[in-house]
Each structure stands twice: as C-alpha cells, then as structure tokens.
Amino acid sequence: MALALLAGACRLAPPAMPGKDVAAHVEEEATGRGLRAAEAQAQEAVRKAREAEVAATAALQAAESAADDDAATHQQDGERYAQAIAEARAGAPGCTLEVERLIALRRQLAEYVSEPERDAAIAGLEPCRKAALKLRRQHHEKAQRDLPRGAAKDAVAAALRDEGLADPWVPVQSGALPTPGRKASSSQADALAKLRSDATAAAQAVDAAEADHERAQQGVAASDARQVQLDEADDAREQAWRGEMQRSGNRYLAVAGAAGAVAWSGSASASSSSPAATRSRPASWRSRPGPSARRRAGTRARAAWSASRWPCRSPSWASSRPTTGCAATPWASGSRRPAPA
C-alpha cells in the first residue's frame, strides 16, 4: 500500500511551466512593424501634400492679388480713358482745347487699341490738329529764327513731328494697350481658374492623406492592443500554472504523508514480532508471566486457601492420597458434610 501511495504521489507532479505564445507574438510583431512603416509613409505623404497645398495656395493668392491689382489699375485707367474721350468730344466742336491739352489727349488715346469710341474721339480732333499745327509752326519758327533758314526749317518740322501734329490723325491708327476698364481677358481668367482648381485638388489631397494617416494610426493602435492581449494571456497562463503548482504540491505532501504513516506502521509491526525485538526488551518484560500462567497461579492460590479451611475435603484435582487424620470422616472423599442436628 505504501508503494502504491508513493507511486500515486509521483504521478501528481505539476505540469511544465507554460511559455509565451511565440508564434502569435512573432506574427503580431511583424504585423506591427508593417503597420508602423505604413504609418510613417502616410505621415510623409501628409507632409508632402501639405507642402503642395501651401505652394498651390500661395500661387493662387499671388495670381488673385495680381489680378486684383490689375483690376484696380484697369479701373483707374478706364476712368481716365473715359474722361479723355469725353473731354475730346466736348472740345472738338469749337476747338476750345489748348494746344498742349489737345496734344496730350491725342497721345493718351493713341496708346490703346482701336475701338469705335476712341477712334471717333480722335477723328473729331482732326480739325483742331490743323489749327494747332499753324499755331505751333509759328511758335517754333520764332524760336528758331537765329538758325540758318534750312536748319530752322528742319528744326521746326522735327518739333511738329514730336508733338504729333505733323501727320494727319485720320485715318486713326491702333495702339498696343488693351482698352482699359473692360473685362479681363479670357487667358487671365483661364489662368486663375486653373490655379483655383490646383489649390482645390491640393486641399483634397491633404484630406485624403490625413485620412490615410489616421487609418494607419488606428492600425498601429490595434496592433499594440493585440500585443497587450497576448501579454495578458501569457500572464494568465503563468498564473494558472502557479496555482496548479501549489495545488499539486499540497496533494503531493498529503499523499507522501499518508505513505510515510503506512510505512512506519508496517515497520513497527514487523519489529515487535521479530526475535530480535523480543531479545531487545527489558528483563522485567521477559520475567512477566503471560495470561494463562496468571490464571493457573490464581487457581492454585484458591485451592490452597480452601484446603486450609477444610483440610479433609478432597477436591477433584487434589492428590488421591488420603490426608492424615481425615480417613474416618465420611466427607474426606469429597462427600458433603452432614448438617448439624
């Protein structure tokens, strides 16, 4: 029985300590590295998209500012242009304009491209040009009287050409500048529209990049959470193993204690029944009579006491020899004594 208990105790050995779920950890770590790399790429994409948005916005703002400046300038030019036309129309009928103002109005209107109002205003000043030509010729001839006749004539002609009075103003020639105060050209409008489209696309690209970055961050956070769950599962298995270790130890001690008690009881019984154990007992133990001897001694003591009281009585176990002085008595052979008379 002791051997059976010991064998059972050996079978109560605790399980081996559980290790980490290495495969799951390795897989999740690889997944986390990939997600972090994707997050870094998404963050870089956000940075580039923001830079592109800033550049597109700056270009659009510069173009719009230039357009606004051009619009303001065009508005001012348009106002001056309209005033010049109105002044030319008002001074043409009576040639009431001074020569210097007449020359200035014609030069101002001549810078712009041909258009009906401008051409009509210049053509209306042609009679005034002829009158101003006579006056300015006389003025320049007086100024050049000290020069030789030929030189003075050339100088007067050059001065009249510089003032724009030498050649007829009709037919009206077209200038280079666009008519001020009119709607911006289609090319400028198209350029602004393209810049606005680029800025809008850049802003949308930033939104998309930020959304991708946010999803990448969520993926990294989910991977970190799974790593924590794996660690918690490892800790739970280890705690369960430690509890099982304690329970197994308690069972092992209980079984081992029972086996030890059985083994001690068996060895004690064997020791008491062996001759060596008998020999090892004290001398007082070896001299003590057993139960049967004690019973026989008691019987003999009672018989001696009875014989001392009734010496002529012969019990059944007494000797068959007659007792001295009791041969004549009838109860010497064991018969009952007669009752007194």
Side-chain angles (χ1 to χ4, degrees):
M1 182 176 180
L3 293 176
L5 289 173
L6 289 174
C10 293
R11 288 193 295 270
L12 295 177
M17 180 177 179
K20 293 175 61 176
D21 192 349
V22 178
H25 278 280
V26 169
E27 181 180 0
E28 192 56 45
E29 287 173 0
T31 303
R33 286 193 298 271
L35 291 172
R36 287 182 177 84
E39 181 189 9
Q41 293 178 356
Q43 187 174 4
E44 181 65 17
V46 169
R47 185 186 66 80
K48 292 182 178 179
R50 287 175 178 171
E51 289 180 353
E53 181 188 20
V54 169
T57 302
L60 176 61
Q61 290 177 350
E64 288 178 343
S65 178
D68 292 340
D69 293 341
D70 292 343
T73 302
H74 289 165
Q75 183 177 1
Q76 295 175 359
D77 292 343
E79 292 176 356
R80 287 194 296 267
Y81 181 80
Q83 291 175 359
I85 291 177
E87 187 177 0
R89 288 178 177 175
C95 292
T96 58
L97 296 172
E98 295 182 356
V99 176
E100 290 77 7
R101 184 53 186 165
L102 175 67
I103 295 171
L105 283 176
R106 191 264 174 182
R107 284 179 176 175
Q108 180 181 355
L109 296 175
E111 293 177 350
Y112 299 100
V113 296
S114 177
E115 59 93 11
E117 292 183 356
R118 173 253 187 194
D119 295 346
I122 294 175
L125 294 176
E126 175 62 18
C128 299
R129 179 197 70 85
K130 294 177 180 180
L133 176 61
K134 293 179 181 181
L135 295 175
R136 296 302 292 175
R137 187 186 299 275
Q138 295 173 1
H139 172 75
H140 291 303
E141 287 176 351
K142 290 179 181 180
Q144 304 298 331
R145 69 177 60 181
D146 295 335
L147 294 177
R149 185 178 180 84
K153 183 177 180 179
D154 294 338
V156 171
L160 293 175
R161 284 194 302 271
D162 292 338
E163 292 173 343
L165 298 174
D167 297 325
W169 291 353
V170 178
V172 179
Q173 303 296 320
S174 177
L177 296 179
T179 302
R182 303 295 173 86
K183 187 177 180 180
S185 63
S186 60
S187 60
Q188 186 179 15
D190 293 342
L192 285 174
K194 184 179 184 304
L195 290 174
R196 291 190 182 98
S197 177
D198 293 343
T200 302
Q204 292 174 352
V206 169
D207 293 339
E210 288 178 347
D212 293 340
H213 185 226
E214 184 177 359
R215 285 192 293 270
Q217 287 179 328
Q218 292 174 356
V220 171
S223 177
D224 293 340
R226 289 192 294 269
Q227 286 279 11
V228 172
Q229 291 175 356
L230 290 175
D231 293 337
E232 291 177 350
D234 293 338
D235 293 340
R237 286 194 297 272
E238 183 177 353
Q239 292 298 326
W241 173 80
R242 292 186 184 279
E244 183 61 26
M245 280 282 292
Q246 185 175 2
R247 290 189 293 272
S248 298
N250 294 336
R251 290 195 298 269
Y252 180 82
L253 292 176
V255 173
V262 171
W264 180 84
S265 177
S267 63
S269 299
S271 299
S272 63
S273 62
S274 63
T278 303
R279 287 192 298 270
S280 63
R281 289 175 181 175
S284 60
W285 287 18
R286 292 195 299 270
S287 62
R288 291 182 62 183
S292 299
R294 288 196 295 273
R295 285 194 298 272
R296 287 192 300 271
T299 301
R300 290 190 184 97
R302 286 192 299 273
W305 179 77
S306 178
S308 65
R309 293 189 63 182
W310 299 290
C312 294
R313 184 178 176 179
S314 177
S316 60
W317 46 269
S319 174
S320 60
R321 292 178 296 178
T323 305
T324 306
C326 298
T329 55
W331 59 82
S333 57
S335 60
R336 293 183 61 83
R337 186 177 182 172

